Amino acid sequence: MAIPEIGNQPVKNPVRSQPATPKQTGPNAPSHPGESSATAAVPVETLRGRAPQVATSAPQEALSRQSRAAGEARGVLTDPKAILEHELKTRNLQEAYGKLDPRQRQQFDALARGLVPPGTRVDAGAKEPGPFPHGSGDKQSMERLQAFGDRTNLYNLLQAGQLGNKDSQGRTLLSNLQDIQQSHYPEAKATLSAALGAPQPPMMGIQTLSSKFTGAQPSEYARVANGLMRDGQVKLANGETLHRPPSDAPQPGSQMGTGMMSTPYSKVERALTVYADEKLSKPEIASRVQRSTANQFSNDPNFNRLSAQQKEQFLDLAAPKDSRRAAALSVATGIGEPVAPVDNRVSALLANGRLTSVDSRGDTLLTNLHRLRGQQSGKGFEGSQVYGEVLNTLSPPPGWPARREWSAALEQDARSGQPAEYVRVVAGLTGSQGKVSLPGGRELRTPPDQRPDPQPGFPPFPRSTEGLVREAVLAEGIRSGQPMKLVNSDGVRQDVQITMLGCGPNSDNYRVRVGQDEFSVSAPPGFRQTESLARLADYHSMTPPHLRGELKHVAINEGHFPGDAEAGKRYGIKDFQSAATAGGHRIDFWSGTRNVNEGTFNHETGHLIGERASREGQRNSASSTIATLALLPLSPFIKSPEPGPDPNHWNVPAGWDAQSKKDGNAIDGPLTGENRAYSTRHEGEDFAESWMAYMRARSQGKVADFAREHPNRAPGVDRIYHNQGWQ
């Protein structure tokens, strides 16, 4: 069914009488009597009495219709009317549009058409609405992209039924938006974008004063923003005057990023911040805000068990200044509930009783959090960011992604029984001195700042606390040579000791001990990527203890494996490059630390386990061979020959080849141009890939899936893992 056009519909044949047209609810329904579109037959006498129409309008409309029809036939819309019709249809907004009264439909049409800049093109066949094409980033392309966002926000307001919301003077949001669009001050277009975007859900869930103000009264926000940006001041509903700040400098405690300082949204935000701080400085309003916050916890037994001082600390953390500003703004203007929003992360720590846990010095978590938030940061850290990241660690928000990686025991303790000690350590590392003492006299120091230099003209981003504690623990452990308490990626605590044996002219040498097992590491001279040493310890700790002895040495090499060319010829793979090689109780990583990852480590360990199988008599080998794991080459694979008999006889458990052939499938791995998995290159690679896939399945809790997909390989690999032999 065709969608009626927006505005300027052609007049129907006036000579032949027609029945009354049903009420239209599409975007082209007439707005009010006298509009150019017609909804019924018009008497001939009436037409004869009208002034003659401009003769050139019909050809122009015809050309417009022809252009629009041609664009639609190609699937690319360029006419503003067609674009708006299409976007309303694809968003299923015809019914919402039809609920607008005639005057509102007229305002909506004019406002929406003004948000379609010249050169806009929309792909009518796209599954999802969006600008087309994205452009090259020039000024016109960016304007079209901004306009698309503005139209999207307008459609969201239509869908939410907010366009009829009235301000303190009785004007609707649509009227206020149209006033901004028709204004001519320099920032009018940006102010319109701000007024359209302010009612949308806050970015990343951050509640600003503008979002608080707008959430209760979007039309009032549009009026205030327009007056503030046009005149420099505006009367609020309570009769007081809101002034535009004289400077674009951010206000203390503002949540606006530095890149947004010049936007009307941020200027309104700063004006509201200054106003709210003024109100919060009044004892009667501050006292009311404090009481409203405390009342939220009046029936909470955990809160009532706190001392008077602890209650003050808790309320200060649970409702920080930004929240109190929002409450003070509501008290003063009457817009919204006069209740300070509570930080759910802090209230969660109260609910689970962890706020009163103590650190090694006897201070509570509550005290340490309060101290952390108020301390002077150093070493490139920014206080509010550090505080927020620590809270996310202690009490992750819903849906916070879990990362599978090794950590220091202190970090695990943060989520279990010793969060107060974790906060004390972070406070020391991010403070002005950059150090903290541990029980027993050991001292952690802030690791060197590894952030790249900022782009010219941009300030550096603050340092993140992600991985800070583990990096400090690792650096201290290597410096002192003392054992460290680490937690591997499977969540199991391990005693790890990394000792630097010396720096020679050809290599730096280390010894890595995991529990009772150890291996040596050689690296290029000047090697300082100690994180790679910890990762090797992490991967090795997840290898079953009875198999760890198969690894005696790891070498990190800067160049490529010398045998790559020969291997490429054998496999028929152009530009073949080995990520790592293994044999004789040794793993070599090539191209530096780029390939030091869990999958590659487990693959090469699989080759070493195959050698053990051979030594135990499960299969004899003519010589100890070196196996390679290929990376996908940069250029396409070329057709490879069928692999022939290998004179070296790869070391695998006896009968492995027969078992893998019974499964009749390949292990997931890098694919060749013929879509044949790397494991099909040889039975030795099949076993190594099987071990890697099995270890991955264990880490993901999918051993049953591995067994179902590889029923003949899985039992043998599982028996090897559990030290039950091969068969």
Side-chain angles (χ1 to χ4, degrees):
M1 178 178 178
I3 303 297
E5 296 178 354
I6 294 181
N8 297 327
Q9 294 186 23
V11 177
K12 297 180 180 179
N13 187 347
V15 177
R16 188 170 50 189
S17 63
Q18 299 179 7
T21 302
K23 181 180 178 180
Q24 299 182 41
T25 60
N28 302 294
S31 301
H32 53 80
E35 193 174 353
S36 60
S37 55
T39 58
V42 182
V44 175
E45 293 79 8
T46 301
L47 289 174
R48 287 173 179 170
R50 289 180 180 173
Q53 302 295 313
V54 179
T56 58
S57 62
Q60 290 176 347
E61 291 182 2
L63 289 174
S64 177
R65 287 196 299 272
Q66 291 174 3
S67 175
R68 187 163 63 251
E72 291 173 352
R74 296 192 305 270
V76 178
L77 307 178
T78 58
D79 183 80
K81 299 175 186 178
I83 289 173
L84 298 177
E85 293 164 8
H86 169 76
E87 291 179 340
L88 286 173
K89 180 180 178 181
T90 56
R91 288 170 169 82
N92 297 317
L93 291 176
Q94 297 101 318
E95 183 178 352
Y97 178 90
K99 292 180 180 179
L100 300 176
D101 62 39
R103 176 62 179 170
Q104 290 174 330
R105 287 201 294 273
Q106 183 187 36
Q107 290 177 314
F108 183 91
D109 291 351
L111 182 63
R113 283 196 296 268
L115 296 175
V116 183
T120 299
R121 303 173 69 210
V122 172
D123 183 0
K127 295 182 179 179
E128 297 292 338
F132 173 85
H134 291 287
S136 58
D138 56 18
K139 181 179 179 181
Q140 290 75 20
S141 298
M142 297 306 295
E143 287 179 351
R144 289 192 286 270
L145 187 62
Q146 177 64 54
F148 170 75
D150 291 342
R151 295 200 305 277
T152 299
N153 289 336
L154 177 62
Y155 298 143
N156 291 340
L157 293 172
L158 172 64
Q159 187 174 38
Q162 291 184 301
L163 293 176
N165 178 264
K166 294 184 178 181
D167 64 16
S168 58
Q169 298 180 1
R171 291 175 58 81
T172 66
L173 175 58
L174 256 177
S175 296
N176 285 329
L177 292 173
Q178 193 172 42
D179 282 351
I180 300 174
Q181 189 180 54
Q182 295 173 351
S183 297
H184 299 289
Y185 58 91
E187 295 178 294
K189 183 180 292 186
T191 302
L192 177 61
S193 294
L196 286 166
Q200 311 305 321
M203 292 180 62
M204 297 180 292
I206 297 177
Q207 283 282 352
T208 62
L209 290 178
S210 295
S211 62
K212 171 80 173 178
F213 192 94
T214 313
Q217 189 64 277
S219 183
E220 181 74 355
Y221 178 86
R223 183 188 73 82
V224 167
N226 190 30
L228 199 65
M229 299 305 298
R230 181 188 59 206
D231 305 324
Q233 62 182 29
V234 65
K235 287 282 186 182
L236 297 176
N238 59 8
E240 297 182 343
T241 301
L242 184 68
H243 296 275
R244 177 173 170 174
S247 171
D248 283 345
Q251 298 297 320
S254 172
Q255 298 187 56
M256 305 304 299
T258 55
M260 302 176 65
M261 285 299 123
S262 62
T263 66
Y265 185 90
S266 67
K267 292 176 180 178
V268 175
E269 175 72 13
R270 294 199 304 280
L272 293 173
T273 299
V274 172
Y275 179 80
D277 282 346
E278 177 188 343
K279 296 303 174 184
L280 200 55
S281 67
K282 299 181 181 299
E284 63 274 16
I285 292 183
S287 177
R288 181 176 174 184
V289 170
Q290 180 78 344
R291 288 196 304 271
S292 70
T293 305
N295 287 339
Q296 298 181 65
F297 300 95
S298 59
N299 297 322
D300 190 323
N302 292 314
F303 177 76
N304 292 327
R305 280 194 289 267
L306 299 177
S307 67
Q309 181 183 9
Q310 288 175 330
K311 287 180 180 178
E312 290 293 324
Q313 289 179 327
F314 171 77
L315 294 175
D316 190 34
L317 294 178
K321 193 169 186 178
D322 287 327
S323 295
R324 293 167 186 261
R325 283 172 175 151
L329 183 67
S330 298
V331 170
T333 62
I335 295 180
E337 294 296 325
V339 177
V342 171
D343 190 326
N344 292 328
R345 298 168 299 180
V346 178
S347 58
L349 293 173
L350 174 70
N352 61 31
R354 298 171 68 192
L355 282 176
T356 53
S357 62
V358 296
D359 63 15
S360 59
R361 303 292 177 87
D363 292 326
T364 66
L365 173 61
L366 182 56
T367 298
N368 287 345
L369 284 172
H370 205 266
R371 185 179 297 149
L372 175 68
R373 198 189 66 173
Q375 79 169 6
Q376 181 67 38
S377 298
K379 305 297 182 181
F381 295 98
E382 194 276 320
S384 62
Q385 177 175 310
V386 170
Y387 175 74
E389 290 176 347
V390 166
L391 275 184
N392 287 336
T393 298
L394 299 177
S395 183
W400 195 258
R403 300 183 63 177
R404 186 174 182 274
E405 59 185 357
W406 74 274
S407 62
L410 272 172
E411 294 172 291
Q412 188 183 63
D413 291 340
R415 301 175 180 87
S416 55
Q418 297 179 350
E421 181 73 359
Y422 172 78
V423 176
R424 186 184 75 83
V425 170
V426 173
L429 294 175
T430 60
S432 57
Q433 294 186 347
K435 61 182 181 180
V436 61
S437 296
L438 299 180
R442 298 172 68 175
E443 183 179 80
L444 297 184
R445 298 178 185 178
T446 305
D449 190 350
Q450 300 293 336
R451 293 175 300 164
D453 293 334
Q455 294 293 325
F458 290 89
F461 285 102
R463 290 183 68 177
S464 172
T465 60
E466 181 181 347
L468 174 65
V469 173
R470 73 178 191 180
E471 291 174 16
V473 169
L474 178 60
E476 191 280 331
I478 295 177
R479 182 172 59 248
S480 67
Q482 297 297 310
M484 299 170 282
K485 292 289 186 182
L486 302 182
V487 181
N488 69 18
S489 295
D490 281 344
V492 179
R493 288 184 178 239
Q494 301 285 333
D495 287 324
V496 175
Q497 185 177 18
I498 301 177
T499 306
M500 189 168 189
L501 302 178
C503 301
N506 299 318
S507 65
D508 292 347
N509 300 289
Y510 299 84
R511 182 178 64 238
V512 179
R513 181 185 292 272
V514 178
Q516 301 301 315
D517 303 287
E518 66 178 47
F519 59 92
S520 58
V521 178
S522 60
F527 175 79
R528 291 294 182 268
Q529 298 190 44
T530 52
E531 166 74 15
S532 295
L533 297 174
R535 281 191 278 145
L536 290 171
D538 177 31
Y539 308 149
H540 194 55
S541 72
M542 292 180 285
T543 301
H546 68 279
L547 296 174
R548 291 179 189 169
E550 301 313 309
L551 176 63
K552 302 296 185 184
H553 183 74
V554 172
I556 298 175
N557 306 280
E558 290 183 313
H560 298 307
F561 174 52
D564 280 345
E566 181 181 348
K569 290 180 180 179
R570 173 184 295 180
Y571 293 147
I573 300 176
K574 186 179 180 181
D575 298 330
F576 184 95
Q577 290 183 11
S578 299
T581 57
H585 298 290
R586 173 187 175 115
I587 295 176
D588 280 79
F589 288 94
W590 302 97
S591 301
T593 59
R594 184 180 68 180
N595 302 312
V596 179
N597 59 68
E598 187 175 357
T600 302
F601 181 90
N602 285 334
H603 175 100
E604 303 306 330
T605 299
H607 285 306
L608 300 183
I609 293 171
E611 285 189 341
R612 172 171 174 158
S614 177
R615 290 195 307 272
E616 292 177 348
Q618 295 171 353
R619 176 169 183 168
N620 294 319
S621 173
S623 63
S624 177
T625 61
I626 290 183
T628 61
L629 170 64
L631 290 176
L632 284 170
L634 298 178
S635 58
F637 283 103
I638 62 174
K639 182 176 177 60
S640 59
E642 292 296 324
D646 187 347
N648 290 322
H649 299 296
W650 294 78
N651 296 317
V652 295
W656 175 263
D657 192 38
Q659 297 299 322
S660 63
K661 287 180 179 177
K662 286 181 182 178
D663 285 338
N665 56 14
I667 303 296
D668 293 338
L671 300 180
T672 70
E674 297 176 323
N675 292 325
R676 298 177 62 192
Y678 184 75
S679 64
T680 64
R681 291 295 173 185
H682 205 284
E683 60 182 341
E685 296 302 340
D686 187 275
F687 178 75
E689 288 283 284
S690 297
W691 180 260
M692 178 180 70
Y694 174 81
M695 293 293 288
R696 182 173 63 242
R698 288 191 63 84
S699 69
Q700 298 175 351
K702 298 180 178 180
V703 174
D705 293 341
F706 178 82
R708 183 173 57 255
E709 294 173 9
H710 312 289
N712 293 285
R713 294 181 179 96
V717 177
D718 193 69
R719 289 180 63 83
I720 292 174
Y721 181 89
H722 290 99
N723 199 20
Q724 296 172 344
W726 154 240
Q727 292 177 331

